[in-house]
Amino acid sequence: MTPPRSRRGRPQHGRRGRRGPTRQPQGTSLVGQRFVVDVEDVAHGGHCVARHDGRVVFVRHTLPGEQVVVEVTSGTDRTSFLRADAVEVLRAAPQRREAPCPVAGPGGCGGCDWQHTDAAFGRELKARVVREQLRRLAGLDLPVTVEQVPGDEEGLRWRTRLELAVDDAGRAGLHPHRSHEVIPVEDCLIATPAVVGSGAVGSEGNRGVRALDVAATSTGEVVVTPRPSRDPAPVVHEQVALRGHTLDFALDATGFWQVHPGAARTLVTAVLDGLRPRQGELVTDLYAGVGLFAAELARRVGPTGQVVAVEGDRRAAEHAGDNLAGVPWAEAVHADVTRWVTEEPESLAQSDLVVLDPPRTGAGKDVLTALLAGRPRAVAYVACDPAALARDLVTAKTLGYQVDSLQAYDLFPMTHHVECVAVLTPTEGPPELEPLDPS
């Protein structure tokens, strides 16, 4: 399947923008060669590590401790590492199972990394990755447990938004791993029944379009948007049920929203529990999207407080403004975050709390330096990539901030993706607070 969409509604293929010239690999291609390897531990990215003739091999479709026959999918006799698929299992791990999806194996759909094990062991693999990234990149030895989130069926039927590719014959399908080819499918086992029942999955005759975006919202709307399209994206509505009340959001059907049914509530709750906002506090919400965190933070700080939500995507910022319109002390700002934090130092200097929800590449040194210069009492960093989080935590440490808590959530079961919420506080320690009002 296609990769998870970025925090701004674009597919996550790394940095945005046009790609530079493709470097041609040096040496003789090893693609297609087969050999036997003993698989070591899991690595970041949905594969495990093995070694062959002194070279690292990143192997998909395997598990730690297995012995497998691999087929090289990328690399030459001069590259420092190879990529490969496990095409035959000689010694299986006890956690291995038959993948429920018929197109999840080598050469099939590239969206799911761990269909050959259950969701519980998938969470353990993700926890290992987060721990290893924090240790290796940030020098932090932290306990990590990836928590299950309500809303899926043993790791299946959770994806409420799905991007389908369309081939030259007009058939809708999903991409293989690291490929632009299209595999026509009749079902996607991680998609919700509403998404599968939209008519887009397995459809034919989609002439003149490159992709179909399917969105099935918490309010019961199901929208299929062809791309490209001259028409603006339809507006859909989401609801997030919290303790005793519900938040309502409008957004573009092709815009970013968390795809797991339990994700939005889980992340808002984690941010609130970590920051413990008080009446009268000033909050800055960076990479704010359509206002998911800002809406509840504004309710918590009340009319004597202030929330500024900064978002770089114009349409998302417009929706954030509409979603926060009933709260005069909350403001949505359309601006590039990196530019805004350097041009608005006064606003940051006054912030008691900061929410940081950057794209997969992380916040970066410039943003962290600007926001931590104001010495907020706490920062909630919502991270969709543990490596980027680890690098940013190194920067935060040099600026006098420590990890007060870290939680990890399985918002993308059967894939290698994991969401973390790290709460950062000044090294000298957070101020003493009164007990939090549970309402």
Side-chain angles (χ1 to χ4, degrees), residues 133-439:
Q133 294 294 305
L134 293 175
R135 181 196 59 79
R136 184 172 63 86
L137 299 177
L140 295 172
D141 186 11
L142 298 177
V144 177
T145 300
V146 176
E147 299 180 28
Q148 183 179 7
V149 175
D152 59 71
E153 299 175 10
E154 297 298 323
L156 305 177
R157 298 304 182 198
W158 53 267
R159 195 173 183 92
T160 62
R161 280 164 167 75
L162 182 66
E163 181 186 348
L164 294 160
V166 176
D167 66 13
D168 292 339
R171 298 174 299 179
L174 302 169
H175 287 305
H177 183 61
R178 296 172 60 85
S179 171
H180 295 294
E181 296 181 10
V182 179
I183 300 174
V185 294
E186 298 298 323
D187 190 6
C188 173
L189 294 186
I190 63 171
T192 64
V195 168
V196 176
S198 67
V201 179
S203 63
E204 300 181 358
N206 299 294
R207 301 290 183 177
V209 299
R210 295 194 304 268
L212 299 173
D213 279 351
V214 188
T217 74
S218 56
T219 61
E221 300 167 292
V222 180
V223 177
V224 179
T225 307
R227 293 190 296 106
S229 174
R230 296 180 180 179
D231 299 323
V235 175
V236 296
H237 301 84
E238 295 282 0
Q239 291 184 333
V240 181
L242 297 174
R243 301 164 183 163
H245 63 285
T246 299
L247 301 176
D248 297 290
F249 299 92
L251 66 151
D252 285 357
T254 55
F256 175 78
W257 186 258
Q258 291 288 342
V259 296
H260 192 288
R265 183 181 189 276
T266 295
L267 293 178
V268 171
T269 301
V271 167
L272 290 171
D273 289 347
L275 293 182
R276 303 177 70 194
R278 262 52 186 182
Q279 294 281 317
E281 288 192 305
L282 278 64
V283 185
T284 300
D285 182 4
L286 300 178
Y287 311 97
V290 298
L292 173 63
F293 299 113
E296 182 61 12
L297 286 165
R299 197 183 80 88
R300 294 301 181 97
V301 302
T304 59
Q306 183 182 15
V307 174
V308 179
V310 185
E311 168 54 45
D313 182 83
R314 180 183 61 82
R315 283 294 292 159
E318 290 174 355
H319 284 303
D322 293 338
N323 294 330
L324 299 172
V327 188
W329 57 93
E331 176 188 9
V333 177
H334 172 221
D336 175 79
V337 169
T338 303
R339 185 177 300 125
W340 186 87
V341 298
T342 57
E343 294 177 351
E344 299 290 337
E346 299 85 1
S347 297
L348 280 174
Q350 299 173 16
S351 297
D352 299 292
L353 304 170
V354 175
V355 178
L356 194 58
D357 188 12
R360 188 163 298 280
T361 48
K365 184 177 180 180
D366 291 343
V367 171
L368 285 168
T369 300
L371 73 89
L372 295 182
R375 310 307 290 175
R377 73 165 176 84
V379 177
Y381 189 133
V382 183
C384 56
D385 184 89
L389 171 64
R391 290 190 292 267
D392 282 342
L393 291 181
V394 173
T395 300
K397 182 178 180 180
T398 65
L399 296 170
Y401 275 74
Q402 63 190 357
V403 179
D404 189 67
S405 65
L406 186 139
Q407 294 170 282
Y409 300 101
D410 195 12
L411 303 187
F412 305 92
M414 298 297 149
T415 80
H416 74 272
H417 299 284
V418 58
E419 201 90 359
C420 297
V421 178
V423 177
L424 312 181
T425 57
T427 305
E428 62 268 20
E432 290 294 328
L433 298 174
E434 295 296 324
L436 184 64
D437 182 354
S439 65

Side-chain angles (χ1 to χ4, degrees), residues 89-113:
V89 179
L90 304 179
R91 183 182 67 241
Q95 299 88 357
R96 175 173 283 275
R97 69 169 183 180
E98 186 74 23
C101 176
V103 294
C109 169
C112 289
D113 307 290

